[in-house]
Amino acid sequence: MSAPLAASVAVGDRSNLSHGASRFRIGIVGCGPRGLYCLQSLSDELRRNRCVRSLSIDIFEPSEFPGAGNVYASCQPHYLKMNFAAKHINAWADLGESGAERLDFVGWLKQRYGTSVDPNGFAPRAVVGEYLHDCYRKVYAELEEFAQVTLHGCRVSRVDRRVRRWVVQTDRLEAEYDELVLTVGHEGWRTPQPSQEQTKVEFIPAFPIRKNLSVESIRPGETVAIRGYGLTWIDVTLALTTERSGAFIVTGDNWRYLPSGCEPRRIIPFSRSGRPMLAKPNESLFPQPAALDAIWERGRDAIDALQLPIHRCDRGSEFWQILTQSAAAAVNHFRDRSFGTSTEVQNWFDDWCRGTMKPATSLAAMRRSFRVATGREVPDVGWAMGAAWRNLYPAIVRQVSYGGLAADQWKTFWHIAAEMERIAFGPPADNVGRMLALIDAGIVDLRFLTSELQIDSSRRAGTCTIGNGIDTVAVDRCVDAVLPSPLQLHSAGPLQGLLEARTIRRLHGSEGIEVDRLGRPVTEKGRVVDVLSIIGRSTEGCVLGNDTLSRTLHDQPQRWAAEVATKIQNRKENE
Ligand SMILES: Cc1cc2nc3c(=O)[nH]c(=O)nc-3n(C[C@H](O)[C@H](O)[C@H](O)COP(=O)(O)OP(=O)(O)OC[C@H]3O[C@@H](n4cnc5c(N)ncnc54)[C@H](O)[C@@H]3O)c2cc1C
C-alpha cells in the first residue's frame, strides 16, 4: 500500500483530531486536480520561505486516486477521452526548486512507458489520472519535509466557523484548521435531478459509467434515450458500443462501425436545442498556421484593453466586435477569393442560434466540422468562431472574472458562452468520426433530437416513448447525460451548508459563489471571510471557466499558497 493511502487507513472512528497548540493546521477538502494544484503551490511556497514551523496538512478525499479524483479515476475505461490535447496537460505551475523531476504529461508518458505519444492527440482520462495521481504522490513526499501530512479517505459533510478557525466534520471525525480550502469541484458523481415534467421517468446517471451502463442495466437490443447531446452523450454512446466489443475502423476518409450484437438497438439523443458540439481540430491533421498567432494576440490585447466593468457584450458591443473580427481575419487566412467580414461571422452565429436545430442541419454541422477538424475541408466560419473563442479565452477570463462584467450583462454572456462551449470546446475529431459512424450504421438515431419523452403508462412503470410528430418510438431505458450545473450544489455537501448559513453568497448576475483572487468567499454582508478559501467550479462566473485541467488559465492556487506561507512565517516571527 502506498504511503499516502496507508495514512488514510490510520484514521480511526469518529474522533476529535486535536493537534499541538502551536501547530499550524491546514485542511484541504477535495483532492482532485485543484486540490493537487493547491498542495503543489503550497509545497513550493514552503520551500521558498524555508518554513520549518510545526505544520500539519490534512487532506480529505474519498476517491481512490487523490490528485485524479473521480473525473480522472485511472480505473475508468480508456475510450473516455480528454477534450484537451496531450501537449497542454501539465500539473506543475513551474519547475520548482526542489530538484525533483517535474514532467508534463507527454514527458511523463515517455518516462513511465517509454512511448512517444502524439502531443496533438487526446489521451484517455484514465491515463491522465495516473499522471495526476503520480504528481500527487510526488507533492505528498515533498510536503512531508515540512509538515505532518495525513490523507483522510472520507467525504466532508459540513464546515463551520469556530472563533478564528474552521471546523471540518465527516462521519468519522471532527477537526479544526487555521486555514481551510474547499476544492470539491463536481462534488463527486451525483444522482441527476430531472426537471419537473420528467419526474416520472427513471433516468440512469451516466457516471460511474461501467457500473451504471452495464449489460445488466441496459440489455442488448433495447432502445435507449439519452438526455443531453454534449460530451457526456458521446461518453455514454461509447459505453454502449465500444465497451460492448463493437469496433470502429477507418475506411478512406470515414469511420465505420462493426457491431458486436450486444449494443442497444437504437440510441436516441435528445436535447433542448439540438445543436451539436463541433469537432476540435486534430492539429496533426490540420496544423494551425503560425500566421494566426498575430490575429489571436491582437484579439487578446483588444479584450484586455476593454474598460471594466464591461457594460455590453451583446452583438452591437465592442466585445463582440473583437470576437467576430478575429474570426473573420482567421477565416480570410484560408480564402483566396471571397473576403470574410465580421458581418458574415455574425450571420453565421445568428443562423446557428436560431430556434431549435433540425436533425439534418445538426448532422450536417457535425459532418462538416469533422472534415475541417481533420484537414479534409477548407476551414469555415464555424471553425473560425471556435478558434477565436479558444484563443481569446485567456483574456476573456482575465477581464470577466471577479466582477469584470456588469451584473445585467450576465444573461447575454451566458447565452454566448453556452453556444461557444459547443462551437469551441467540443470533442476530439476522432470521437465525432465515431458518432458519425454510429449514425451511418443506424444505431444512433437523430430523428428525435429536440423531442421530449412521454410517459408510457401501457408498459412497465418508468418506461416512455419519444415522438417527433411523424414517428414515435418506445423507449426502454433513459440515461441522463447532463451533469449538474455549477449552481446546483450537493444538498449534503459543505458548500450548501455555508450558503444556507449565509456565510458565503453568490455574485449578483453570474450567480457563482463570490470569492476574491485568493479564493476567499464573501459573506452575505459583503465582508471577506478569512482563513477559508473556495477554489473551483462552484465559483463559476465569479471566476470564469475554472472547471478545467488547465494550470495556466487561473492562478488562485498560487495566490492562496503564497498568502498561507506568509501567514505561517508571520506567526512564527510573532511567537
Ligand atoms: C466527465 C467529465 C469529463 C471532463 N473532461 C475534461 C477534459 O477533457 N478537459 C478538461 O480540461 N476538463 C474536463 N472536465 C472538467 C473537470 O472537472 C476538470 O478538468 C477538473 O476535474 C476540475 O478539478 P477539480 O479538482 O476542481 O474538481 P473535481 O475533479 O471534481 O475534483 C473534486 C474532488 O473533490 C472530492 N470531493 C467532492 N466532494 C467532497 C467532499 N464533500 N469532501 C471531500 N472531498 C470531496 C471529489 O472526490 C473529487 O476528487 C471534465 C469533467 C467531467 C465531469
Side-chain angles (χ1 to χ4, degrees):
M1 188 185 294
S2 67
L5 285 179
S8 71
V9 178
V11 178
D13 279 340
R14 193 176 173 82
S15 59
N16 200 323
L17 273 193
S18 59
H19 313 256
S22 65
R23 198 179 272 277
F24 190 95
R25 288 154 292 178
I26 299 173
I28 307 269
V29 178
C31 193
R34 240 162 222 71
L36 164 66
Y37 298 168
C38 287
L39 287 170
Q40 191 228 305
S41 292
L42 183 63
S43 167
D44 285 352
E45 290 295 338
L46 294 176
R47 186 173 300 278
R48 208 166 283 142
N49 289 314
R50 296 188 168 71
C51 284
V52 287
R53 185 175 199 289
S54 178
L55 179 68
S56 71
I57 302 171
D58 283 358
I59 303 161
F60 295 88
E61 172 53 55
S63 75
E64 205 181 337
F65 305 101
N70 52 304
V71 173
Y72 298 98
S74 45
C75 54
Q76 62 193 320
H78 280 209
Y79 54 78
L80 300 178
K81 293 272 169 60
M82 295 295 300
N83 73 341
F84 200 65
K87 66 182 175 190
H88 298 305
I89 301 172
N90 190 353
W92 306 99
D94 55 41
L95 290 175
E97 295 166 14
S98 69
E101 213 170 14
R102 295 186 155 190
L103 297 172
D104 63 11
F105 177 61
V106 173
W108 174 87
L109 268 177
K110 193 161 173 47
Q111 190 192 62
R112 166 68 62 106
Y113 293 109
T115 46
S116 296
V117 289
D118 175 4
N120 293 318
F122 295 82
R125 298 205 288 270
V127 179
V128 173
E130 256 187 79
Y131 165 68
L132 293 169
H133 183 57
D134 203 49
C135 294
Y136 164 81
R137 291 166 60 91
K138 286 200 174 87
V139 169
Y140 193 101
E142 282 179 21
L143 284 168
E144 279 186 312
E145 288 180 40
F146 308 101
Q148 179 188 313
V149 193
T150 311
L151 170 67
H152 304 282
C154 53
R155 282 192 94 249
V156 166
S157 50
R158 274 192 78 84
V159 300
D160 292 288
R161 181 149 215 157
R162 186 175 293 165
V163 197
R164 301 197 55 202
R165 296 200 174 115
W166 282 89
V167 182
V168 162
Q169 276 181 34
T170 77
D171 59 351
R172 304 179 204 174
L173 60 89
E174 187 178 294
E176 280 185 20
Y177 296 96
D178 299 297
E179 265 297 336
L180 186 66
V181 60
L182 304 182
T183 40
V184 291
H186 289 259
E187 299 194 78
W189 299 133
R190 286 191 258 163
T191 314
Q193 295 165 350
S195 66
Q196 277 317 98
E197 317 86 70
Q198 293 168 347
T199 45
K200 289 191 201 138
V201 177
E202 280 173 26
F203 278 95
I204 303 170
F207 296 107
I209 215 152
R210 254 195 188 132
K211 177 166 165 263
N212 291 4
L213 306 182
S214 66
V215 278
E216 285 76 37
S217 59
I218 297 178
R219 313 286 306 165
E222 287 189 324
T223 294
V224 182
I226 303 178
R227 174 175 172 252
Y229 191 39
L231 295 172
T232 304
W233 163 63
I234 296 177
D235 287 348
V236 168
T237 303
L238 292 173
L240 297 173
T241 51
T242 304
E243 174 78 35
R244 297 175 176 210
S245 307
F248 289 95
I249 50 168
V250 184
T251 50
D253 272 2
N254 294 311
W255 289 76
R256 206 153 62 83
Y257 182 66
L258 303 178
S260 67
C262 293
E263 51 281 282
R265 182 186 340 160
R266 274 203 195 99
I267 298 173
I268 302 176
F270 67 100
S271 76
R272 268 187 303 215
S273 72
R275 293 194 271 280
M277 293 200 97
L278 301 185
K280 187 155 301 146
N282 177 333
E283 291 190 32
S284 294
L285 300 173
F286 168 25
Q288 308 290 292
L292 296 180
D293 291 347
I295 297 172
W296 308 139
E297 204 176 322
R298 262 201 314 278
R300 284 192 294 268
D301 287 348
I303 297 275
D304 277 329
L306 288 174
Q307 209 182 344
L308 297 184
I310 297 170
H311 280 290
R312 280 183 63 192
C313 62
D314 61 312
R315 54 183 294 165
S317 67
E318 206 183 336
F319 172 83
W320 188 242
Q321 281 294 313
I322 296 167
L323 264 173
T324 52
Q325 278 165 4
S326 302
V331 88
N332 280 332
H333 180 82
F334 297 94
R335 287 188 180 169
D336 43 13
R337 265 178 261 133
S338 66
F339 190 71
T341 60
S342 52
T343 309
E344 182 189 341
V345 174
Q346 176 63 56
N347 291 342
W348 181 92
F349 189 71
D350 289 345
D351 280 348
W352 171 268
C353 296
R354 191 163 295 127
T356 54
M357 197 175 264
K358 291 202 169 72
T361 315
S362 187
L363 177 58
M366 267 169 84
R367 280 200 202 285
R368 190 174 168 88
S369 81
F370 171 70
R371 296 184 64 76
V372 170
T374 51
R376 293 173 167 103
E377 203 163 307
V378 180
D380 59 356
V381 175
W383 162 81
M385 265 315 242
W389 187 257
R390 276 194 302 277
N391 284 285
L392 271 52
Y393 201 59
I396 298 172
V397 167
R398 276 194 293 276
Q399 290 290 76
V400 166
S401 297
Y402 307 110
L405 185 68
D408 63 358
Q409 290 301 296
W410 274 101
K411 197 165 169 229
T412 311
F413 186 83
W414 282 140
H415 165 67
I416 294 170
E419 294 308 330
M420 287 304 182
E421 187 80 17
R422 297 187 176 103
I423 296 166
F425 297 131
D430 280 4
N431 270 353
V432 174
R434 290 184 176 95
M435 294 305 105
L436 292 171
L438 287 165
I439 294 166
D440 293 340
I443 292 172
V444 167
D445 183 348
L446 297 187
R447 282 178 300 161
F448 309 98
L449 210 43
T450 54
S451 306
E452 285 183 10
L453 294 172
Q454 304 292 333
I455 289 292
D456 182 358
S457 44
S458 67
R459 297 197 303 148
R460 173 175 60 79
T463 49
C464 49
T465 60
I466 194 161
N468 59 8
I470 301 168
D471 300 309
T472 300
V473 170
V475 172
D476 301 303
R477 305 281 160 192
C478 303
V479 178
D480 198 336
V482 177
L483 299 174
S485 91
L487 300 185
Q488 291 172 288
L489 301 178
H490 196 306
S491 56
L495 292 168
Q496 182 65 30
L498 288 170
L499 207 55
E500 280 167 9
R502 300 182 168 204
T503 312
I504 60 176
R505 72 175 182 190
R506 294 187 182 279
L507 178 68
H508 176 52
S510 90
E511 302 309 319
I513 288 172
E514 187 173 355
V515 290
D516 70 8
R517 286 173 195 273
L518 302 175
R520 304 281 188 216
V522 176
T523 67
E524 186 77 1
K525 292 191 175 148
R527 273 205 310 275
V528 172
V529 181
D530 58 355
V531 309
L532 176 71
S533 287
I534 300 173
I535 301 180
R537 193 169 190 261
S538 61
T539 66
E540 183 59 49
C542 177
V543 184
L544 188 66
N546 63 7
D547 187 25
T548 169
L549 201 58
S550 169
R551 189 73 164 100
T552 53
L553 210 48
H554 308 93
D555 62 0
Q556 276 182 328
Q558 291 94 307
R559 288 172 182 270
W560 169 81
E563 152 126 336
V564 173
T566 307
K567 257 191 191 173
I568 296 170
Q569 200 67 21
N570 290 346
R571 217 207 247 189
K572 187 176 121 196
E573 282 162 13
N574 291 338
E575 274 176 4

